Amino acid sequence: QVQLVESGGGLVQAGESLRLSCQASVSVASFESMAWYRQAPEKQRELVALITHDGSTNYADSVKGRFTISRDSAQRSVYLQMNNLKPDDTAVYYCHAIELIWRKHYWGQGTQVTVSS
């Protein structure tokens, strides 16, 4: 069973940075794509950033220029570097992966990010 474990969330002030980590129980090469989603209270879950098997990336307009998604195959991990954080970035952040062969979806348990003004 594939597991995704997030870490790195916390409480920061506006303008500060955080780095989220998502460690997979299998090689990241097993996935077609890995992504970070977030869900704020009373809002739908939204895609924040995605990295594909070939390394292509995609970002939500609201985080372009501030967030960077990256991958470390040796660590079986994907990261989300978040700079210049804003109160609107406050949410639970989830790691997501789609299996390369069977296209099964996996989710982590989520990590809370809170940005105070």
Side-chain angles (χ1 to χ4, degrees), residues 19-111:
R19 187 192 193 212
L20 304 183
S21 300
C22 171
Q23 183 161 39
S25 58
V26 297
S27 170
V28 295
S30 304
F31 302 120
E32 173 185 294
S33 66
M34 298 186 75
W36 289 95
Y37 284 75
R38 68 186 180 188
Q39 187 166 19
E42 301 182 356
K43 291 189 177 181
Q44 289 195 339
R45 192 172 296 190
E46 62 173 355
L47 176 66
V48 175
L50 177 146
I51 184 165
T52 64
H53 188 264
D54 66 0
S56 300
T57 58
N58 194 22
Y59 297 92
D61 287 343
S62 60
V63 306
K64 282 181 181 176
R66 301 189 297 123
F67 291 11
T68 303
I69 189 170
S70 61
R71 183 178 57 199
D72 185 332
S73 298
Q75 297 298 322
R76 302 200 311 268
S77 295
V78 66
Y79 306 100
L80 186 67
Q81 178 66 43
M82 306 186 293
N83 297 329
N84 190 21
L85 283 160
K86 302 176 180 180
D88 283 349
D89 295 318
T90 295
V92 177
Y93 284 71
Y94 296 92
C95 183
H96 173 261
I98 302 176
E99 203 172 43
L100 183 62
I101 296 177
W102 303 109
R103 302 185 65 81
K104 188 173 180 180
H105 291 236
Y106 299 97
W107 291 93
Q109 82 286 354
T111 186

